[in-house]
Amino acid sequence: MRRILTAALVLAVLAPAAQAQAVLDLTAGQARARPAAVDRSPELFRFLGEPGQTVRLTIQGPGALEAQLFEPEGGAVMRTASGADKLVLEAILPLDGVYLASVVRADPSKPYSVALSKDTPDPYFAHFVEGVGYAVLMPGENAPTVGCWMEPGAKIRVNHPGGAVSVVTLGRGSKRYYQTAGGTGSIRFESETRFEGDDAVTTYQGLPTGDQTERRAVLDHSGTWTYKGYICR
């Protein structure tokens, strides 16, 4: 099963000062108005998310604003945005779970609002981008596979355990396109995925060794997952 994390678990890894703050629920499509405050302490918000969802937080209020979005596995910061009077923070979610966001305003004496929007991802897109941003160490491997966004929503870089690096371009629907560089040089190939019950069956076409088919459980969360970063560095 996908790991559904509780807000309490995520809050447990935040700083003690943040733990003391109330956590406010956000509902997609509804703006949450916030009153004036006595200091500049961050306010915390939470919402449920799933892999492949594009979420957008819109914060409006007078003066300078800053927002952060935390990943659900351990509370690391996924995305940060700042602006004056209005800011928009957008991200493609990597996992099922409870996501936390924090908002800080330069002028706490003025009210502001937070609005959440999120889409329903295409099942292929959700499958392809699940875990992007994490180092995933699978049983039997001596090094993790690490994915990150080169162009959010369009292009992913994957560092493989053997040292090869793939640039994966997401096509429409079930297709992906690869350019992989490693010890044997650079190759281009593509893949197409179909779902059969609880499995994703992927056929790789254009490999030097010929076409290959791989079957993997859609909800396979074995191994160790460690957050590394949203955008490739």
Side-chain angles (χ1 to χ4, degrees), residues 50-68:
E50 61 183 272
Q53 273 189 328
T54 298
V55 298
R56 183 178 293 106
L57 291 168
T58 303
I59 297 101
Q60 298 188 77
L65 302 164
E66 182 175 299
Q68 292 183 319

Side-chain angles (χ1 to χ4, degrees), residues 24-212:
L24 307 171
D25 292 316
L26 292 176
T27 301
Q30 299 180 13
R32 178 139 198 175
R34 300 299 302 140
V38 295
D39 58 35
R40 295 182 57 193
S41 297
E43 289 199 303
L44 294 176
F45 302 86
R46 67 187 171 197
F47 61 90
L48 282 172
E50 61 183 272
Q53 273 189 328
T54 298
V55 298
R56 183 178 293 106
L57 291 168
T58 303
I59 297 101
Q60 298 188 77
L65 302 164
E66 182 175 299
Q68 292 183 319
L69 177 64
F70 300 88
E71 56 88 26
E73 285 292 272
V77 176
M78 276 182 56
R79 299 288 274 163
T80 298
S82 59
D85 302 330
K86 178 181 179 179
L87 70 83
V88 176
L89 187 155
E90 185 173 284
I92 299 169
L93 302 185
L95 296 176
D96 267 329
V98 178
Y99 287 80
L100 290 180
S102 68
V103 176
V104 176
R105 46 190 161 161
D107 185 358
S109 67
K110 301 292 194 305
Y112 73 105
S113 67
V114 181
L116 168 70
S117 68
K118 55 184 179 178
D119 65 1
T120 300
D122 172 273
Y124 291 106
F125 183 79
H127 176 64
F128 295 156
V129 308
E130 185 169 25
V132 172
Y134 288 81
V136 181
L137 182 62
M138 299 301 291
E141 297 282 359
N142 57 14
T145 299
V146 184
C148 56
W149 285 110
M150 296 178 70
E151 299 176 19
K155 192 173 289 187
I156 300 166
R157 187 179 74 205
V158 181
N159 294 338
H160 300 281
V165 178
S166 293
V167 174
V168 184
T169 301
L170 304 178
R172 290 184 177 274
S174 59
K175 284 188 173 291
R176 286 175 288 180
Y177 304 91
Y178 296 76
Q179 180 170 343
T180 299
T184 58
S186 180
I187 60 172
R188 293 177 181 269
F189 59 97
E190 63 184 64
S191 72
E192 187 160 10
T193 298
R194 67 184 186 276
F195 296 123
E196 293 183 359
D198 292 333
D199 292 341
V201 181
T202 301
T203 299
Y204 297 92
Q205 302 165 318
L207 292 169
T209 54
D211 294 354
Q212 296 181 17

Side-chain angles (χ1 to χ4, degrees), residues 5-21 23 44 46 70-76 98 100:
L5 301 173
T6 66
L9 177 60
V10 181
L11 283 171
V13 302
L14 297 180
Q19 293 181 40
Q21 300 293 318
V23 182
L44 294 176
R46 67 187 171 197
F70 300 88
E71 56 88 26
E73 285 292 272
V98 178
L100 290 180

